[in-house]
C-alpha cells in the first residue's frame, strides 16, 4: 500500500503563542508556555486541554511546541508530548532530541504524562521533564491516564532524566477545569489511555 501517510498539523493559532527567539530561562517560564498552549487549545476548541514544549537546556530557547490533537485529527497518539517530540525531531533532523546527551533538552508538560507519553520520554532523548498538573488532576476531570508504574519517576531518573513536578500546578489545573466547564469532550473514559 504505497502512498499511505499521515501528518500532524498544529492549529494556526499556535504561531501567535510561541516565540523561537524568546529565552524561557526558568522552569516556570517553560511551564507558562506549555499552559498557554493548553489554554489556547481549549479557547480555540482545537483539541484537549494539554500542552507541551521542548526547549534546549543550554540556551533556554524553544525547540518545538505541542498540543493535544487526538479528537480533531482522529489520531489516538496525538498527545501534546508526542506532538512536541515528533515536531522537535523533524525540526532538528534527528530522532534523538538530545543528540546522545550532547545537547540536553527539557520537556515541559502541562499535565503529568499518561502511560503512552511516559513510555516515549526515554526514547525521545530529553534529559529533563517538568510537569504542571498531576495524574490525579487529569483523572479528576474524567481523563484516563492509563496504568503507570508507581515508581515511574525513579525509573526515569535511573535513565538520567530528572523530573520536577508541580511547576505552575494551579494554572495547569485551571486549564483542565476550564476544558471541563466549557463542555470539552472527555474521551477514553472506558479504560483507554488517550488523554495528555
Amino acid at each position: 500500500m504505497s502512498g499511505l501517510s499521515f501528518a500532524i498539523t498544529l492549529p494556526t493559532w499556535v504561531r501567535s503563542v510561541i516565540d523561537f527567539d524568546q529565552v524561557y530561562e526558568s522552569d516556570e517560564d517553560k511551564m507558562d508556555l506549555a499552559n498557554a498552549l493548553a489554554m489556547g487549545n481549549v479557547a480555540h476548541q482545537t483539541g484537549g486541554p494539554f500542552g507541551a514544549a521542548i526547549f534546549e537546556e543550554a540556551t533556554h530557547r524553544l525547540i518545538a511546541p505541542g498540543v493535544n490533537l487526538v479528537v480533531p485529527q482522529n489520531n489516538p497518539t496525538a498527545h501534546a508530548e508526542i506532538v512536541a517530540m515528533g515536531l522537535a525531531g523533524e525540526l532538528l533532523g534527528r530522532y534523538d532530541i538530545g543528540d546522545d546527551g550532547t545537547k540536553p533538552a527539557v520537556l515541559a508538560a502541562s499535565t503529568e504524562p499518561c502511560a503512552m507519553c511516559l513510555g516515549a520520554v526515554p526514547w525521545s532523548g530529553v534529559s529533563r521533564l517538568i510537569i504542571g498538573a498531576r495524574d490525579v488532576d487529569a483523572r479528576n476531570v474524567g481523563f484516563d491516564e492509563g496504568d503507570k508504574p508507581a515508581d515511574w519517576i525513579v525509573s526515569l531518573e535511573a535513565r538520567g532524566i530528572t523530573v520536577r513536578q508541580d511547576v505552575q500546578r494551579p494554572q495547569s489545573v485551571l486549564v483542565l477545569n476550564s476544558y471541563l466547564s466549557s463542555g470539552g469532550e472527555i474521551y477514553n473514559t472506558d479504560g483507554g489511555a488517550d488523554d495528555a
Side-chain angles (χ1 to χ4, degrees), residues 86-174:
L87 183 56
E90 185 174 319
L91 293 172
L92 294 170
R94 59 181 186 263
Y95 62 86
D96 182 348
I97 296 165
D99 203 14
D100 201 24
T102 63
K103 297 179 181 171
V106 180
L107 170 59
S110 67
T111 302
E112 182 178 311
C114 70
M116 178 182 73
C117 294
L118 177 62
V121 168
W123 310 135
S124 71
V126 299
S127 55
R128 209 156 64 82
L129 170 63
I130 58 175
I131 300 164
R134 295 233 184 164
D135 181 284
V136 67
D137 301 319
R139 290 181 192 275
N140 283 342
V141 299
F143 285 102
D144 182 343
E145 295 295 277
D147 298 325
K148 298 187 289 191
D151 63 347
W152 65 270
I153 292 176
V154 173
S155 295
L156 287 182
E157 291 181 343
R159 291 176 171 269
I161 302 166
T162 60
V163 178
R164 181 175 174 210
Q165 296 176 291
D166 301 332
V167 178
Q168 309 291 53
R169 184 177 181 187
Q171 294 88 333
S172 299
V173 171
L174 177 66

Side-chain angles (χ1 to χ4, degrees), residues 39-58:
M39 187 58 91
N41 226 21
V42 173
H44 293 277
Q45 299 180 332
T46 50
F50 306 99
I54 295 179
F55 303 86
E56 188 176 73
E57 184 81 89

Side-chain angles (χ1 to χ4, degrees), residues 13-24 33 37 53-55 59-65:
W13 63 261
V14 168
R15 287 213 177 267
S16 68
V17 174
I18 62 172
D19 182 352
F20 287 103
D21 294 322
Q22 182 174 336
V23 175
Y24 299 87
L33 178 60
L37 289 162
I54 295 179
F55 303 86
T59 65
H60 304 290
R61 293 189 189 276
L62 175 67
I63 296 172

